[in-house]
Amino acid sequence: MIESALNQLDDSQLENIEYFSIIFKTLSEGVTLNEMVYNEKGEIVDHKILAVNDAFYKVADYNKEIPVIGSLASKLYGLEEEATKLFWDHHKAAIAPVKVEFFSKLSNKYFIISTSLIVNNRFVASFFDITERKKIEEKISAVNDFSASLISSMQFGFTVVDLNIAIIDVNLAMCTMTGFTREELIGQKAPHPFWPPEEYDTIREAFINTLNGGLENYELTFMRKNGERFYV
């Protein structure tokens, strides 16, 4: 049947099929062509894998004990029925390709799965392994949580500024010391609300020197919200 259909195509159509076949096979991400599966009520309950590219076997996480082609996604990827239903409830009304983050319990890997719109009961899915990226994000999150906890627990006033000397974090002790709330301080650029106008140049110089790696100790004058000056 396929051979008969191909014989009816002209050279340009055959060339297009060959062109897209080459693209499909050489993509670095895992790609699958799939067909929807419905229950007797006409509800989407699963999908069947019709074709995959070579990269799929390297990138995707799947049950190696069963054949890929012809398998149901729920069996191949170890998806629970409720998870499959939620996935398609979200996708079936989409008007543009959808990307979702997916955690595979088969080998504890994270993926971004991009699915095309459903056309003639079929769709294409692409798999991007983001496991290493997630590990890095988790480490960064853990470091940030630790830093935030450390800053919060300090008994002396502490602010975190960026390279433009804009405040990006401040602890409770600093708020108590100056009389300003956290909301009043976060995002403030130099000169900060607790800098006395007559001390702007001295404080700015100290901040810039510190940002450039200077390790000197400074005795500065700050200002409370009520205008009272105090030494730090």
Side-chain angles (χ1 to χ4, degrees):
M1 181 182 296
I2 294 177
E3 184 176 348
S4 175
L6 290 175
N7 288 334
Q8 298 178 34
L9 300 176
D10 58 34
D11 289 343
S12 63
Q13 290 173 317
L14 288 171
E15 186 176 327
N16 285 337
I17 291 175
E18 182 179 1
Y19 174 72
F20 286 109
S21 177
I22 292 173
I23 294 177
F24 180 73
K25 291 179 180 178
T26 56
L27 287 172
S28 59
E29 65 267 23
V31 181
T32 63
L33 174 63
N34 314 276
E35 185 174 62
M36 304 308 307
V37 175
Y38 299 84
N39 61 17
E40 63 278 2
K41 297 179 181 179
E43 300 168 331
I44 300 174
V45 293
D46 214 330
H47 63 272
K48 181 171 64 177
I49 288 77
L50 301 180
V52 302
N53 67 345
D54 293 340
F56 172 87
Y57 297 101
K58 299 177 182 179
V59 177
D61 198 22
Y62 60 95
N63 185 349
K64 309 297 191 300
E65 302 299 319
I66 61 176
V68 172
I69 306 302
S71 286
L72 294 176
S74 58
K75 303 296 183 184
L76 189 65
Y77 306 130
L79 301 175
E80 298 177 356
E81 182 178 345
E82 184 62 24
T84 303
K85 183 178 184 303
L86 288 174
F87 181 85
W88 285 115
D89 283 347
H90 177 67
H91 282 61
K92 64 184 179 182
I95 59 174
V98 178
K99 288 185 179 181
V100 295
E101 186 174 300
F102 171 71
F103 175 71
S104 173
K105 296 180 180 179
L106 295 178
S107 57
N108 297 324
K109 287 187 174 182
Y110 289 91
F111 294 89
I112 290 292
I113 300 178
S114 176
T115 54
S116 70
L117 297 179
I118 301 173
V119 179
N120 295 328
N121 211 34
R122 295 181 177 183
F123 71 96
V124 173
S126 301
F127 294 75
F128 303 85
D129 188 343
I130 60 168
T131 305
E132 291 304 313
R133 191 186 82 185
K134 290 293 292 185
K135 289 180 179 178
I136 293 173
E137 288 176 352
E138 288 171 358
K139 289 180 179 178
I140 293 174
S141 179
V143 170
N144 288 341
D145 289 345
F146 174 77
S147 299
S149 177
L150 183 64
I151 292 171
S152 178
S153 64
M154 288 179 175
Q155 298 302 307
F156 52 86
F158 194 91
T159 60
V160 180
V161 300
D162 62 19
L163 295 178
N164 295 315
I165 320 183
I167 299 175
I168 57 177
D169 200 2
V170 60
N171 68 353
L172 179 60
M174 189 65 180
C175 295
T176 301
M177 182 185 302
T178 62
F180 292 98
T181 65
R182 176 181 172 82
E183 291 71 25
E184 289 174 320
L185 294 177
I186 297 296
Q188 290 289 338
K189 298 180 180 179
H192 298 158
F194 48 83
W195 291 11
E198 69 275 11
E199 299 289 338
Y200 281 177
D201 292 341
T202 301
I203 297 174
R204 178 184 287 275
E205 183 180 345
F207 267 81
I208 292 175
N209 186 54
T210 301
L211 289 173
N212 289 333
L215 299 176
E216 298 178 42
N217 290 320
Y218 296 93
E219 291 187 2
L220 303 172
T221 300
F222 280 178
M223 178 178 64
R224 294 189 172 90
K225 190 174 183 178
N226 63 10
E228 179 184 354
R229 269 59 169 171
F230 64 99
Y231 295 107
V232 295

